[in-house]
Amino acid sequence: MTTPDAQPAPEAPRPPAIVVKDLSFRYPGTDRDTLRNVDLTIERGDFVAVVGGNGSAKTTLCKTFNGLVPHYWNGDFAGSVHVDGVDTWESSVAELSSHVGYVYQDFQNQLVRPTVRDEVAFGPLNFGHADYRERTEEALAQLGISHLREKFVWQLSGGQAHLVALAAVLALRPEVIVVDEPVAELDPARAREIYLRLRDLNERHGITVITIEHHAEFIAEFARTVVLMADGAPVWHLPVQEAMNRHADLAAHGIPAPDVVALSAAVGADPVALDVAGAVGALRKHVRTAPRGEMKGADGEQRPAELAPSTEVVAAVEGVTHGYRSVGGELSTVLDDLSLKLHAGERIALVGTNGAGKTTLMKLLTGLIVPRQGTVTVSGIDTRSRSAARMADHVSYLYQHPQQMFLKDSVREDIALFPRGRQVPDAEQIVERIIADVGLTKLAERDGRTLSGGQQRRATLGIGLAMRPSLLLLDEPTSSLDIRSRGDVTAMLEALSDTVRCALVATHDMELVATWASRVIVLDQGRVLADTTPRELFTRSETTGQARLIPPQAARVALDLGLEPLPLTAAELMAWLPPETLGEER
């Protein structure tokens, strides 16, 4: 019997969100552990970024949190993982889904129901929750997408579909959410929107958020702690400020510092800046009134944006209107009276929001589809007059997802497929040279589907180059790659000028636009909103705002500092700083 003065017993402290002890895991058929003796604790309410190069086992680690490893991806499993106090070995994927929600990198594959409302309700309904309607409306409201509830999932933009996949996870009210590559395949503004939503869930609702991320600028701005993975184990787990102060560690593992970190470190800021405002404050007192000479690339060479283009037309789009029929039969216009000319020697970045018509335009250029109105010509050939198979003699299209390009059992056979099929003279010598050019000699006998992301991009470039096209089209070639692999792809794109007359890249990667492109075509609602150089584009805030483009960090710092001509990279911006201010990076 308690007395009036007796105090209630204090509640027992809840365990950390995730505790990993002595965890090792090996996939069947491999000769070494993918995860090696991992010890990691993630506290409740943390916002954790898991970073590391391709192949560092980031995704495998996170799949142990929801039980996919070892209950779906089986193998040799040792050690323990506890989520919200639950031992994942003794639980199941279904049981763990109420503790851990997981949004996969290929989030479109998570959408299994016809409408948004059905999709979000699917989990709680199947778990028998009587309040599934309330859970559905709550999740939609949390992410600000209640207005989409009656939409069919195939009608959604990439950003909207990503939010719906996240809402479907939230409807089960998990303690932890894991999001694998949250900004892959999204335009810059929608990428930032996803992170803002994740921060809101973390701060307002107390959900522990874990992201697997390659884009260090989002890590610096939004994460609270950072786990650096290498060779199957954490190198360290640190608060974000300390992690960014160790930018040399990150760079050594394929994660170069964000521009704001590199720039502030270059002028001796301690701690380094984590966002644009911080970098502007660190640099303002050091900026000179004029740069040292003309704007140059990081290698000291004149940027392609400043080089005069050729007048030779490789491809032309004249008065093209194209669209698709909806389920109801009405025509949805994607491209509207579009006219463009692509010239020899140009490096063209095709940018715009998800759904702006970029992929449709590239498919028209290949002849995979023909326009409802207007004409498309490549090398002077009207695409209506030849099959897509014959147009492949002149134009090559590399898909956004590299796996779609692999048809044979080895990289060598995939690269050889076109020249052998066309009975090209010296086909074998061509294949060997291209394999060497893309740096895959040691992997030539491997199935392309078993390669890492960066290696797959190299292999698909080899497939495209073997077709010896006049026009090379690439859809999101740097998506989901670590910085080192993105750099490899950029370097290969640089080298294409000796082989390909014109290259066009559809991309959301503004760093690629800034460092590689000589011309930028901005599509918006099926029309050309701007056709200009990267430097000119990033000075036009009205255009970038309408197209939902966010300039690279260095350009945003330079805009705030009022620098002209506008630096596009950290290397260019440093030309505005007196040499005596640039100390050794810490």
Side-chain angles (χ1 to χ4, degrees):
M1 180 174 179
T2 61
T3 66
D5 295 329
Q7 299 296 320
E11 291 186 10
R14 298 184 67 189
I18 295 172
V19 178
V20 182
K21 286 190 175 295
D22 300 323
L23 174 64
S24 294
F25 179 73
R26 181 179 298 187
Y27 287 103
T30 60
D31 58 3
R32 66 191 306 269
D33 290 346
T34 300
L35 294 172
R36 299 181 302 104
N37 303 318
V38 176
D39 286 303
L40 179 68
T41 298
I42 296 175
E43 299 295 342
R44 291 183 182 277
D46 202 353
F47 192 132
V48 186
V50 181
V51 305
N54 289 116
S56 61
K58 303 183 300 295
T59 297
T60 300
L61 173 64
C62 290
K63 284 180 179 176
T64 68
F65 302 161
N66 71 344
L68 283 179
V69 172
H71 298 300
Y72 181 78
W73 298 103
N74 58 11
D76 295 333
F77 185 97
S80 66
V81 179
H82 286 80
V83 177
D84 197 20
V86 177
D87 188 333
T88 62
W89 177 265
E90 297 175 354
S91 187
S92 67
V93 175
E95 292 167 348
L96 289 167
S97 64
S98 61
H99 298 279
V100 180
Y102 205 120
V103 182
Y104 298 93
Q105 183 174 329
D106 192 0
F107 56 85
Q108 299 278 8
N109 287 341
Q110 285 184 251
L111 307 182
V112 298
R113 300 295 297 156
T115 70
V116 168
R117 182 173 57 189
D118 289 345
E119 177 63 36
V120 178
F122 183 74
L125 185 60
N126 276 272
F127 273 95
H129 294 299
D131 61 345
Y132 72 91
R133 291 187 179 88
E134 290 82 358
R135 288 170 175 258
T136 299
E137 293 304 320
E138 176 187 272
L140 291 171
Q142 280 179 313
L143 296 176
I145 55 174
S146 297
H147 62 289
L148 297 177
R149 63 169 63 85
E150 303 302 332
K151 289 273 191 182
F152 289 105
V153 296
W154 53 262
Q155 293 177 301
L156 304 175
S157 69
Q160 290 171 336
H162 205 296
L163 288 171
V164 170
L166 183 55
V169 162
L170 285 176
L172 288 173
R173 296 176 179 166
E175 297 278 346
V176 179
I177 291 177
V178 180
V179 189
D180 194 346
E181 294 285 357
V183 305
E185 304 181 22
L186 298 181
D187 64 61
R190 287 193 172 95
R192 184 172 178 77
E193 179 184 341
I194 290 290
Y195 263 99
L196 288 169
R197 298 290 187 184
L198 290 173
R199 182 161 67 184
D200 184 67
L201 292 171
N202 175 250
E203 293 180 350
R204 292 182 55 197
H205 302 282
I207 295 173
T208 304
V209 175
I210 302 169
T211 65
I212 303 171
E213 188 56 87
H214 287 130
H215 294 78
E217 63 271 23
F218 289 112
I219 297 166
E221 184 175 358
F222 291 96
R224 294 186 184 182
T225 67
V226 181
V227 176
L228 173 61
M229 293 287 293
D231 198 26
V235 178
W236 41 248
H237 180 196
L238 296 171
V240 65
Q241 182 68 69
E242 188 175 346
M244 291 300 140
N245 287 343
R246 295 193 185 189
H247 51 85
D249 274 4
L250 294 171
H253 290 88
I255 310 158
D259 288 344
V260 295
V261 171
L263 288 165
S264 58
V267 297
D270 187 13
V272 297
L274 299 182
D275 55 23
V276 169
V280 170
L283 267 64
R284 191 176 295 281
K285 62 183 178 181
H286 299 291
V287 172
R288 291 147 44 106
T289 57
R292 301 194 301 271
E294 297 298 323
M295 291 290 100
K296 305 285 186 178
D299 55 4
E301 296 296 323
Q302 188 177 14
R303 281 183 42 77
E306 282 80 38
L307 303 178
S310 167
T311 58
E312 178 189 353
V313 175
V314 174
V317 177
E318 301 286 348
V320 165
T321 296
H322 193 74
Y324 304 97
R325 295 284 179 189
S326 70
V327 172
E330 64 273 13
L331 181 65
S332 176
T333 299
V334 177
L335 298 177
D336 187 7
D337 194 25
L338 189 71
S339 294
L340 289 169
K341 290 183 178 178
L342 313 183
H343 301 95
E346 288 185 319
R347 304 174 178 184
I348 304 169
L350 185 64
V351 303
T353 62
N354 295 101
K358 301 185 297 295
T359 299
T360 296
L361 175 58
M362 289 198 294
K363 288 182 177 180
L364 286 166
L365 287 165
T366 64
L368 288 170
I369 56 178
V370 295
R372 292 180 180 273
Q373 296 177 28
T375 60
V376 177
T377 58
V378 178
S379 299
I381 303 166
D382 189 328
T383 58
R384 294 182 189 276
S385 68
R386 294 195 188 175
S387 67
R390 298 311 306 177
M391 287 304 302
D393 291 324
H394 305 277
V395 57
S396 177
Y397 175 38
L398 306 188
Y399 292 97
Q400 180 172 345
H401 301 290
Q403 299 90 335
Q404 295 177 269
M405 302 287 293
F406 301 125
L407 304 176
K408 297 293 185 177
D409 293 333
S410 71
V411 170
R412 184 187 307 280
E413 293 300 310
D414 278 314
I415 292 175
L417 186 61
F418 185 89
R420 286 177 185 170
R422 290 289 198 271
Q423 298 182 341
V424 174
D426 301 323
E428 300 309 315
Q429 291 87 336
I430 291 171
V431 170
E432 292 304 316
R433 186 185 72 249
I434 289 173
I435 289 173
D437 287 346
V438 298
L440 291 177
T441 301
K442 294 182 179 180
L443 300 174
E445 307 309 323
R446 287 269 301 273
D447 188 319
R449 287 155 291 209
T450 69
L451 301 179
S452 71
Q455 292 164 347
Q456 287 185 341
R457 297 289 179 185
R458 288 174 174 272
T460 57
L461 273 173
I463 293 169
L465 292 175
M467 299 168 74
R468 299 190 296 178
S470 297
L471 176 63
L472 181 64
L473 310 174
L474 302 98
D475 199 350
E476 292 288 354
T478 59
S479 173
S480 301
L481 297 184
D482 62 25
I483 299 296
R484 184 175 293 148
S485 299
R486 289 163 69 195
D488 290 344
V489 171
T490 303
M492 285 186 285
L493 289 175
E494 290 276 0
L496 290 179
S497 56
D498 295 334
T499 308
V500 177
R501 290 164 65 199
C502 180
L504 182 146
V505 171
T507 185
H508 294 311
D509 185 346
M510 295 299 107
E511 295 289 343
L512 179 61
V513 173
T515 57
W516 173 80
S518 61
R519 176 185 177 191
V520 189
I521 298 169
V522 183
L523 289 185
D524 184 57
Q525 298 183 2
R527 293 178 175 269
V528 175
L529 178 63
D531 188 347
T532 184
T533 65
R535 204 179 305 283
E536 174 65 22
L537 171 64
F538 293 136
T539 62
R540 292 157 57 174
S541 58
E542 182 178 340
T543 301
T544 55
Q546 183 174 338
R548 299 177 66 86
L549 304 176
I550 297 178
Q553 277 192 335
R556 281 181 277 153
V557 171
L559 285 168
D560 282 0
L561 292 171
L563 306 185
E564 294 182 8
L566 181 71
L568 298 181
T569 65
E572 287 186 359
L573 200 157
M574 286 182 188
W576 292 81
L577 303 175
E580 62 271 16
T581 67
L582 302 177
E584 289 293 323
E585 287 193 7
R586 282 187 275 273

